[in-house]
Amino acid sequence: MSVDKEEISKTVLELEKSFNERWSVGDNRGYLDNYAEEIGYFDPVLKELVVGRDAVIAHIESIYSNPHIVRSEYLNPAVNVSDSGDFAVLAYNLDTYVLDDNGDEQQLRAWNATEAYRLIDGEWRIVHSNWAFTRTAEGAIAS
């Protein structure tokens, strides 16, 4: 059986976009309902890794508020699919925009996102999620 890595990449990216678009309009359940039981989650507001679906959901629900995002740009998406076709890592940059008081778009956040998806019981589930604010180092750093 051959693995169609291009089709898997497309599926994973479309899933991610659908979860993020729901998030942007105030429905965080796309992500939360998709998380695997054993998910590991890095959040830029925490120093430590959050492990387990219930713990990740509790954390997100404790800080989540409807961001009213009006536009998202998915930049530089890259999906690496395992040879067996049951694991995929998606990395991309995400720029989000909201409306200011004058009704003009302004950038809310710039993110670096990495999501590890595993095919579990026929469904692509997020098993690891890492969200980081986009920053550029001022100079070369070794660590």
Side-chain angles (χ1 to χ4, degrees):
M1 178 160 120
S2 67
V3 173
D4 188 341
K5 292 184 178 185
E6 187 175 321
E7 185 62 30
I8 292 170
S9 296
K10 181 180 172 184
T11 297
V12 166
L13 182 56
E14 289 305 315
L15 269 175
E16 182 75 13
K17 285 181 177 180
S18 73
F19 300 150
N20 209 342
E21 294 304 315
R22 286 175 64 181
W23 178 281
S24 295
V25 296
D27 176 8
N28 63 10
R29 294 312 304 190
Y31 277 114
L32 303 186
D33 291 344
N34 180 270
Y35 290 151
E37 288 299 322
E38 69 276 15
I39 187 170
Y41 184 88
F42 277 119
D43 189 304
V45 301
L46 297 175
K47 289 184 179 181
E48 66 277 349
L49 174 70
V50 181
V51 178
R53 186 174 185 273
D54 291 342
V56 172
I57 289 172
H59 165 67
I60 290 172
E61 287 183 338
S62 75
I63 64 170
Y64 179 78
S65 64
N66 183 349
H68 302 288
I69 294 169
V70 296
R71 183 169 62 89
S72 296
E73 292 180 344
Y74 300 87
L75 307 169
N76 310 308
V79 182
N80 293 298
V81 178
S82 68
D83 289 339
S84 59
D86 62 353
F87 191 80
V89 177
L90 165 64
Y92 63 102
N93 306 106
L94 176 69
D95 290 348
T96 58
Y97 297 85
V98 295
L99 297 180
D100 65 16
D101 292 338
N102 297 321
D104 297 319
E105 279 188 7
Q106 68 177 21
Q107 187 170 23
L108 176 65
R109 300 260 189 290
W111 296 96
N112 293 325
T114 306
E115 304 277 39
Y117 281 82
R118 188 169 71 218
L119 194 59
I120 301 172
D121 296 328
E123 293 187 44
W124 286 101
R125 299 281 185 179
I126 298 171
V127 294
H128 183 77
S129 183
N130 185 354
W131 289 86
F133 299 125
T134 301
R135 292 193 195 128
T136 302
E138 297 290 324
I141 56 174
S143 60

